[in-house]
Amino acid sequence: MSSVRIHRPKYALATMLRKPGGTTVAEAVERAETNLESLQEAGWVQLDEGLAAMDKVFARYGDRFDGDLVAEHYGLAVRLIGLPSLCGLDALENAAHSLCDLLDRLSTTGRWDRDGVQVHIQALRLLRNLPAGADAVAEPVLDGLRKVRERHAIQSSN
Amino acid sequence: MALEPTSRGRFNLEKATILMLDGNGMGMDILVQIVTGLGAKSLHRCLTVEEAKDVVKRNTIDLIIADALSPAGEGYEFVSWLRTDGGEPNAFVPVVVTAAHTPVSMVQKARDCGAHYIVKKPLTPVVMLERILWIARESRPFIECDAYVGPDRRHKNEGPPNGVPRRRDDLPPEVGDAQEPNLSQDQVDGLFSTRKVSL
C-alpha cells in the first residue's frame, strides 16, 4: 500500500485576512458590483457576437450528428456563460447553461437532436431581447428548455 | 452558512498576492473587477497555463483563482501540476477553480485536480468572497498520496447519499421532544467562562 501524508499547511492568506484595516464585506461587495457595471457595455457586444457566431454554426448543421460541429458549438456556448448575468439577463444565463448541458450530452451520446438545439438557439434570441423584468415571458421559455433536457435525461445543475 | 452581503464584518485582502488564470479576456476582466473590488492589490494575470507556471516558479502566491479553461480542462491540469510540482509553499496554496460548464467527461478531473473549491460561473463578488473566507477559516487537512494531492475532499458532512440506507448505529433523523428543561442563560454562560482550576 502506498503511503499517505496528512498535514495542515498554514495559509498565509488566513493571517492576511485578519490584518487590521481592510474593508467590510458590505463595502467590498458593493465596490466589486460597481466595478462589474463598468464591463456591461463590452458584455453586450460580446454577447451579441457570441449569439451571431452560434447562429452561423447552427446554419451548418445537417440532419446527422456532426461531432466536430457540436464541439465547436459547445465551445461557443461555454464562452457565453457569465455574459448574460453581467448584463442583467438571468433567464438568458439559464438558457445558455441549458444549451451547454444539451450539447455536452449530444457529444457524449452521439445522438443528434436538431430540433432541441434549434429550440435553444431561438430561446437565446428571444431572451436576449426581452425587456428587464419580463419574467412571466421567460418562465415558459425556460420550461420548454427543461423539457428538451428531460428528453435527454439531463439533470441540469440550473 | 452563506455570507451576508450586507455584513459589517471586516477582512483584509490588501497584502495578498493573487494569481488569476483565465484565457478569455472578458472572463479575466470580470475576475479582476471582482478581486480589486474586494480589496486585492497584488495581482498576476495569466492568460495561459505556461504563464501561470512561470509566475508560480518565480513568486510566492497566497491565492490562486484559475479557470478550467478549455473543455479539455487545462486549468485542472495546472492545479494538478501545482500540487505535485509547484514547490513549497505554493504547492499548498488555496486554489479556487472557476468553470463555466463542466462536461460530464471532466467531472472526475475537476474533483481530483486538488482545488479547494470549484465555483460555477457566472461569478459574483459575494460568492467569490465567501469561498475565499471559507478556505482561510476551515484550514482543511492536506492529503498527499500516489493518487491525489490536495485538500481533503471529504470536508462536508451531508449524511448518506440518496438511496444509501443509514447505518445500524446511526441515530434516527427524527428528533423527539425534549426530556429535560432548557439550560438557563447563566448555565450557558458558565459553559463559556474561563475558570481557574487546581490540579
Side-chain angles (χ1 to χ4, degrees):
Chain A
M1 197 174 107
S2 63
S3 63
V4 179
R5 181 180 169 228
I6 302 175
H7 57 109
R8 283 185 188 272
K10 285 212 163 161
Y11 298 135
L13 181 69
T15 312
M16 287 169 186
L17 286 167
R18 290 194 298 268
K19 292 256 187 213
T23 181
T24 66
V25 169
E27 289 164 353
V29 168
E30 190 180 342
R31 194 166 50 231
E33 283 173 350
T34 305
N35 286 355
L36 286 176
E37 284 171 15
S38 69
L39 296 176
Q40 276 186 356
E41 202 174 317
W44 280 108
V45 172
Q46 290 207 9
L47 187 57
D48 287 337
E49 286 174 357
L51 292 175
M54 288 207 288
D55 284 344
K56 284 183 185 164
V57 168
F58 184 74
R60 286 158 55 202
Y61 279 129
D63 293 332
R64 305 179 77 172
F65 174 75
D66 181 338
D68 291 340
L69 204 49
V70 169
E72 184 181 336
H73 196 174
Y74 177 80
L76 291 171
V78 165
R79 289 178 75 88
L80 215 60
I81 301 293
L83 295 176
S85 290
L86 184 66
C87 301
L89 302 173
D90 292 341
L92 182 58
E93 185 78 57
N94 197 322
H97 275 279
S98 181
L99 178 60
C100 289
D101 284 338
L102 176 63
L103 293 171
D104 180 38
R105 174 53 64 97
L106 296 179
S107 186
T108 309
T109 59
R111 186 178 149 198
W112 183 222
D113 180 4
R114 195 177 200 282
D115 291 344
V117 175
Q118 185 169 22
V119 165
H120 276 78
I121 297 284
Q122 289 168 341
L124 291 172
R125 278 281 170 214
L126 177 67
L127 296 172
R128 155 67 180 85
N129 294 312
L130 274 189
D135 294 346
V137 179
E139 200 46 50
V141 174
L142 295 177
D143 195 49
L145 301 186
R146 184 178 54 76
K147 285 174 182 155
V148 172
R149 293 198 305 273
E150 279 176 359
R151 255 192 355 237
H152 292 269
I154 299 168
Q155 290 187 335
S156 174
S157 50
N158 286 301
Chain B
M1 203 171 119
L3 180 67
E4 183 54 54
T6 56
S7 165
R8 308 307 298 174
R10 297 191 81 86
F11 69 96
N12 194 340
L13 261 182
E14 287 172 12
K15 302 284 183 204
T17 301
I18 303 177
L19 185 160
M20 298 176 303
L21 168 64
D22 197 322
N24 179 327
M26 179 57 89
M28 177 64 84
D29 287 345
I30 289 173
L31 195 50
V32 168
Q33 295 304 330
I34 289 177
V35 295
T36 54
L38 298 180
K41 294 188 184 325
S42 175
L43 309 178
H44 293 281
R45 308 172 198 200
C46 304
L47 293 172
T48 66
V49 167
E50 288 314 309
E51 283 178 46
K53 285 182 178 177
D54 198 46
V55 169
V56 167
K57 287 172 189 167
R58 294 165 188 270
N59 302 274
T60 298
I61 307 296
D62 302 307
L63 172 68
I64 292 178
I65 305 173
D67 185 64
L69 296 179
S70 67
E74 293 159 32
Y76 302 128
E77 283 164 16
F78 165 69
V79 181
S80 296
W81 169 86
L82 173 82
R83 296 308 190 202
T84 52
D85 300 313
E88 294 190 24
N90 285 342
F92 307 131
V93 73
V95 176
V96 176
V97 167
T98 62
H101 185 263
T102 306
V104 171
S105 58
M106 283 291 121
V107 170
Q108 189 174 350
K109 202 170 191 174
R111 193 195 64 195
D112 296 342
C113 71
H116 283 76
Y117 281 106
I118 295 180
V119 177
K120 193 175 163 189
K121 291 183 178 180
L123 304 180
T124 64
V126 71
V127 168
M128 281 308 298
L129 178 58
E130 188 177 67
R131 296 301 188 272
I132 292 168
L133 297 178
W134 278 358
I135 290 172
R137 191 186 311 141
E138 70 184 3
S139 177
R140 231 188 289 171
F142 212 83
I143 312 291
E144 293 184 53
C145 63
D146 289 347
Y148 175 76
V149 181
D152 193 345
R153 289 164 290 186
R154 297 168 300 175
H155 65 107
K156 283 195 226 168
N157 185 2
E158 295 180 327
N162 286 340
V164 176
R166 301 177 70 81
R167 293 185 211 98
R168 250 182 328 186
D169 53 349
D170 280 347
L171 294 172
E174 297 80 20
V175 180
D177 295 331
Q179 300 297 306
E180 296 173 18
N182 289 335
L183 295 177
S184 68
Q185 189 58 52
D186 285 345
Q187 287 171 308
V188 172
D189 292 343
L191 293 172
F192 291 97
S193 61
T194 311
R195 299 274 169 85
K196 195 175 192 177
V197 295
S198 47
L199 299 171

